[in-house]
């Protein structure tokens, strides 16, 4: 199942990430492939990432999107924790 049209794919990925990271204070998904859904940039700020190394945070995102990633050419992930 391909993630067609940018906004549709962005919405779908955002929904999946919201379910996986319910404590996220910010989730932003942008189709950076010109709208074909082949490459996305994801920014997530969440308490779930606190006390975890960057590589562990990115693994959590990759795991949450494991099915969707099969249909992508690339994914840029940026994670952070909320400032106190």
């Amino acid at each position: 199942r391909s993630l067609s049209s940018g906004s549709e794919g962005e919405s779908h990925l955002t929904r999946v990430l919201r379910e996986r990271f319910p404590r996220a204070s910010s989730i932003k998904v942008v189709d950076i492939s010109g709208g074909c859904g082949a490459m996305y940039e994801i920014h997530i700020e969440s308490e779930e990432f606190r006390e975890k190394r960057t590589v562990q945070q990115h693994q959590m995102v990759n795991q949450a999107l494991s099915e969707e990633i099969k249909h992508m050419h690339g994914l840029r992930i940026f994670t952070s924790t909320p400032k106190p």
Side-chain angles (χ1 to χ4, degrees), residues 3-4 8 16-17 22 26-27 41 54 61-62 72 74 80:
L3 296 172
S4 57
E8 181 184 311
V16 171
L17 292 167
S26 170
I27 295 178
E41 185 170 291
T54 303
V61 174
N62 280 318
M72 295 180 200
S80 60

Side-chain angles (χ1 to χ4, degrees), residues 7-8 20 23 27-28 39 50 61 70 77:
S7 58
E8 181 184 311
R20 172 60 185 84
R23 295 166 61 198
I27 295 178
K28 183 179 177 200
M39 187 158 181
R50 198 167 300 285
V61 174
K70 293 176 184 175
I77 301 171

Side-chain angles (χ1 to χ4, degrees), residues 42-59:
I42 295 174
H43 296 260
I44 304 177
E45 179 179 275
S46 179
E47 274 299 327
E48 281 104 332
F49 298 139
R50 198 167 300 285
E51 309 282 322
K52 294 193 170 34
R53 296 191 327 269
T54 303
V55 68
Q56 292 171 309
Q57 296 172 12
H58 290 201
Q59 286 169 341

Side-chain angles (χ1 to χ4, degrees), residues 1 3 6-21 27-31 37-42 44 61 64-69 72 74-75:
R1 185 173 57 82
L3 296 172
S7 58
E8 181 184 311
E10 290 167 357
S11 300
H12 174 74
L13 295 177
T14 301
R15 273 195 309 277
V16 171
L17 292 167
R18 280 254 171 249
E19 287 175 20
R20 172 60 185 84
F21 301 103
I27 295 178
K28 183 179 177 200
V29 177
V30 180
D31 183 340
M39 187 158 181
Y40 289 89
E41 185 170 291
I42 295 174
I44 304 177
V61 174
L65 297 175
S66 59
E67 281 304 307
E68 289 75 13
I69 286 173
M72 295 180 200
L75 183 62

